[in-house]
Amino acid sequence: MEIVDATVIVSSPGRNFVTLKITTDEGVTGLGDATLNGRELSVVSYLRDHVVPLLIGLDPHRIEDTWQSLYRGAYWRRGPVTMAAIAAVDVALWDIKAKVAGLPLYQLFGGASRDRVRTYGHANGRDIPELLDSVRARLAEGYRSVRVQTGVPGLETVYGVHAGTAIAPATADGVRVDARALPVVEDWDTGRYMRHLPRVLEAVRAEFGPDLPLLHDAHHRLTPQQAARLGREIERYDLFWLEDCTPAEDQSGLRLVRQHTTTPLAIGEVFNTVFDYQTLIDERLIDYVRSAVTHFGGVSPLRKLFDYAATRQIKSAIHGPEDISPVGMAAAIHLDLAIHNFGIQEYSGYTPLTHEVFRHAFTFDDGHLHPGEAPGIGVELDEELAAAHPYSPAYLPVNRLADGTVHDW
Ligand code: EZ4
Ligand code: CO
């Protein structure tokens, strides 16, 4: 079997998604997700200009060899653009292999280790009453675990509360490529946040009791000393985890956090390779690894990461926001079902139009996902509908302190 074609499809059914479609001489196709939120077209170019020419003529079954040749052969290793491009190839090839085998992908990973995949959803509110309503809404949708984020008194816009991405408005003729969407500027004040969060968690526990698994994302904003103190202060609220307490690249900083708190820690959504985790895993400084299939080079390296994490009793928690396409999400769910040290899967759902553009076999029911039994990853792209919703320039927000200093977002 030979790869005869590889095309990159960009569509925006509510937000931008980059999809790679690989076709073999036998007419089998595979899909991979290469969406890098706010920097989408860089991956499109990396794939179209530099990767696709290397794929034509290759045996699609040689996944590991293709992965290694794209990783080592580029010389310039790692980084989100490179690893998102490699991820798309990796997942598309696994999709093809599983389709040829006539099996859902999880079967090639050793079969199911559980019946279904538990998820957590996002609850957001500008203030505490709005947050409590949002938690109720998530519970009504079936979620059994909820991430809670609120506005902070004195700050206008903070992470998780207002729309995350600025998308360019459509012009009269519906063409959006010329429009400029510049990043939204959000506010930050670590002191106000640290004083407010315990009150938020107190209110949520008072309303929903001790049994509801609660998560919170600090989104890279604290120093190790601040994170150590916050983690200790909120221990009594029994979080499922505190996520990204410090900037992700600061691995040794987690030693300080870990010495002071038993609040479980989750890190890694912006990591691209196992090397980003080396200190964190070796020294057991975290409890959950958060990498996405889409930003970590695909399911091949993610399976290895999870095995490495398992040696320290660290569990998986694959990143699954709206900016991972249903293709990347499907691949994640197959992995979640198969690995032993599964922890939890983030799942925010998609716009109705996104479900139409990416028809998928995976299901969400009663707060749990299942990948379905369709051969491959179980996603089909409606290319006509995708083409009707073209790329729209978009940026993630930036964060500034009251005096104008840029802070981690
Ligand atoms: O801000 O995916 O845990 N989830 C997150 C996400 C990230 C976005 C960035 O593109 O932190 O909401
Ligand atoms: Co996060």
Side-chain angles (χ1 to χ4, degrees), residues 176-239:
R176 293 188 280 190
V177 285
D178 296 323
R180 279 218 181 120
L182 293 175
V184 169
V185 179
E186 295 187 349
D187 305 305
W188 192 246
D189 182 318
T190 300
R192 285 178 194 270
Y193 162 76
M194 286 183 51
R195 288 188 291 279
H196 188 57
L197 184 66
R199 285 180 223 147
V200 172
L201 298 178
E202 175 77 38
V204 175
R205 279 283 173 235
E207 183 73 15
F208 299 99
D211 293 333
L212 178 65
L214 289 180
L215 303 84
H216 176 73
D217 194 342
H219 229 257
H220 324 280
R221 286 155 194 221
L222 308 176
T223 65
Q225 182 272 346
Q226 291 164 339
R229 188 176 137 200
L230 183 69
R232 197 171 56 190
E233 260 178 50
I234 60 176
E235 273 171 19
R236 77 190 97 130
Y237 303 116
D238 189 25
L239 281 192

Side-chain angles (χ1 to χ4, degrees), residues 56-75:
I56 307 304
L58 296 188
D59 175 357
H61 282 304
R62 296 184 61 169
I63 302 175
E64 182 67 17
D65 183 62
T66 302
W67 194 97
Q68 296 295 343
S69 74
L70 291 176
Y71 181 78
R72 293 170 201 281
Y75 185 64

Side-chain angles (χ1 to χ4, degrees), residues 224-301:
Q225 182 272 346
Q226 291 164 339
R229 188 176 137 200
L230 183 69
R232 197 171 56 190
E233 260 178 50
I234 60 176
E235 273 171 19
R236 77 190 97 130
Y237 303 116
D238 189 25
L239 281 192
F240 186 93
W241 77 42
L242 174 63
E243 178 179 339
D244 285 333
C245 55
T246 58
E249 57 271 47
D250 183 9
Q251 287 194 57
S252 62
L254 268 295
R255 290 183 185 131
L256 178 62
V257 184
R258 205 60 157 170
Q259 279 160 17
H260 292 280
T261 180
T262 56
T263 291
L265 303 172
I267 286 192
E269 68 184 45
V270 302
F271 288 172
N272 311 122
T273 72
V274 66
F275 301 106
D276 299 326
Y277 282 105
Q278 210 158 12
T279 306
L280 298 181
I281 292 178
D282 283 347
E283 300 184 22
R284 212 187 299 271
L285 301 180
I286 54 173
D287 301 281
Y288 295 91
V289 294
R290 293 278 294 132
S291 287
V293 172
T294 307
H295 304 131
F296 201 75
V299 291
S300 298

Side-chain angles (χ1 to χ4, degrees), residues 37 120 122 147 159 217 219 243 269 290 319 321 323 346 396 409:
N37 197 7
Y120 69 91
H122 294 180
R147 189 189 81 164
Y159 169 78
D217 194 342
H219 229 257
E243 178 179 339
E269 68 184 45
R290 293 278 294 132
H319 193 212
D323 46 282
E346 183 180 31
L396 282 163
W409 181 74

Side-chain angles (χ1 to χ4, degrees), residues 46 50-51 54 65-79 81-83 85-86:
Y46 194 103
H50 306 293
V51 172
L54 304 175
D65 183 62
T66 302
W67 194 97
Q68 296 295 343
S69 74
L70 291 176
Y71 181 78
R72 293 170 201 281
Y75 185 64
W76 311 108
R77 296 180 187 198
R78 310 163 68 189
V81 177
T82 299
M83 299 313 287
I86 296 177

